[in-house]
Amino acid sequence: MSEVIIATKNQGKAKEFTRMFQPLGFEVKTLLDFPEIKDVEETGTTFEENAILKAETIARLLDRMVIADDSGLAIDALEGRPGIYSARYAGEEKSDEANMNKVLEELTDVPDNERKARFFCALAVASPGKETFIVSGTCEGLILREKRGSYGFGYDPIFFAIEKGKAMAELTPEEKAQISHRANALRKLESELPSLLAGAGKK
Ligand SMILES: O=P(O)(O)OP(=O)(O)OP(=O)(O)OC[C@H]1O[C@@H](n2cnc3c(O)ncnc32)[C@H](O)[C@@H]1O
Ligand SMILES: [Mg+2]
């Protein structure tokens, strides 16, 4: 089976990519398999810039094709926050619980019809000596008033996925993969994968 490297240290993303790439015939490795590699500093001002930064840095380091995901939650009533700061919204320790609590608190007085939000995912594919390829996907929702469900990761328990009529964390991995920002981005990449992967294997 061909191997694809995803430049992430996020366990939740790693699991989703593993499931999504399996049917395409790829085995996924992530930076969790390379503990010696340090976090890439996310200094970009957009999801796309940060995805490119992560993919290109790790592709150069490993000298092979790498895919990176930069993603997050944009809430209308908070003018798009937490946005690119989603992972660290409540502090550097990157706590999902603390991040969700901060959002719920900030939205306490926001009425039901003003709680629109969307997940965004930028995927960058970088290979040494080749032009980086970038796609993105979104998923529309509403911010709930309390946490629901136990699947997924990050903000999933407070995100009501409109397409499914359930909290994202109430969806099984298969159901989330039908509608998520990450799956929507990956679908745009699928047709390009064979050519991007040509000659991208381990040297
Ligand atoms: O940079 P890497 O190593 O990939 O891991 P990270 O967790 O720091 O990843 P990001 O910088 O892309 O930040 C993404 C954050 O956005 C949130 N997020 C992204 N996708 C999500 C999803 O599918 N469900 C819930 N929350 C999500 C969650 O808080 C993530 O930590
Ligand atoms: Mg990050």
Coordinates of all heavy atoms in Angstrom, one line a residue, residues 8 13 39-40 42 54 69-70 84 87-88 94, ligand 2:
T8 N 0.8 16.6 10.7 CA 0.0 17.0 11.8 C 0.4 16.3 13.1 O 0.9 15.1 13.0 CB -1.5 16.8 11.6 OG1 -2.2 17.3 12.7 CG2 -1.9 15.3 11.4
K13 N -7.2 14.7 14.0 CA -7.0 14.8 12.5 C -6.3 13.5 12.0 O -6.7 13.0 10.9 CB -6.0 15.9 12.2 CG -6.5 17.3 12.3 CD -5.4 18.3 11.8 CE -5.7 19.7 12.1 NZ -4.6 20.6 11.7
D39 N 7.3 21.1 16.3 CA 6.1 21.8 15.7 C 6.6 22.9 14.7 O 7.5 23.6 15.0 CB 5.4 22.5 16.9 CG 4.2 21.7 17.3 OD1 3.8 20.7 16.7 OD2 3.5 22.1 18.3
V40 N 5.9 23.0 13.6 CA 6.2 24.1 12.7 C 5.4 25.3 13.3 O 4.2 25.2 13.6 CB 5.7 23.8 11.3 CG1 5.9 25.0 10.4 CG2 6.4 22.5 10.8
E42 N 3.2 28.4 13.3 CA 2.1 28.8 12.4 C 2.1 30.4 12.3 O 1.3 31.0 13.0 CB 0.8 28.2 12.8 CG 0.8 26.7 12.6 CD -0.4 26.0 13.2 OE1 -1.4 26.6 13.4 OE2 -0.3 24.8 13.4
K54 N 3.3 24.5 6.8 CA 3.5 23.2 7.4 C 3.9 22.2 6.4 O 4.9 21.4 6.6 CB 2.2 22.8 8.2 CG 2.0 23.6 9.5 CD 0.8 23.0 10.3 CE -0.5 23.6 10.0 NZ -1.6 23.2 11.0
D69 N -2.7 20.0 6.9 CA -4.1 20.5 7.2 C -4.0 21.7 8.1 O -3.4 21.6 9.2 CB -4.9 19.4 7.8 CG -6.2 19.8 8.5 OD1 -6.2 20.8 9.2 OD2 -7.2 19.1 8.2
D70 N -4.5 22.9 7.7 CA -4.7 23.9 8.7 C -6.2 24.2 8.7 O -6.8 24.4 7.7 CB -3.9 25.2 8.4 CG -3.8 26.0 9.7 OD1 -3.1 25.5 10.6 OD2 -4.3 27.2 9.7
I84 N -7.9 31.2 12.7 CA -6.6 30.5 12.6 C -6.1 30.2 14.0 O -5.1 29.5 14.2 CB -5.6 31.2 11.7 CG1 -5.3 32.6 12.3 CG2 -6.0 31.2 10.3 CD1 -4.1 33.3 11.6
A87 N -6.9 26.3 17.6 CA -6.2 25.3 18.5 C -5.8 25.9 19.9 O -5.9 25.3 20.9 CB -5.0 24.7 17.8
R88 N -5.4 27.2 19.8 CA -4.9 27.8 21.1 C -5.8 28.9 21.6 O -5.3 29.9 22.2 CB -3.5 28.5 20.7 CG -2.5 27.6 20.3 CD -1.3 28.3 19.8 NE -0.2 27.4 19.5 CZ -0.1 26.7 18.4 NH1 -1.1 26.8 17.5 NH2 0.8 25.8 18.2
K94 N -3.5 24.3 24.4 CA -4.3 23.7 23.4 C -5.4 22.7 24.0 O -5.4 21.5 23.6 CB -3.5 22.9 22.3 CG -2.7 23.7 21.4 CD -2.3 22.7 20.2 CE -1.2 23.3 19.3 NZ -0.9 22.3 18.3
Ligands
MG2 MG -1.4 23.8 14.7

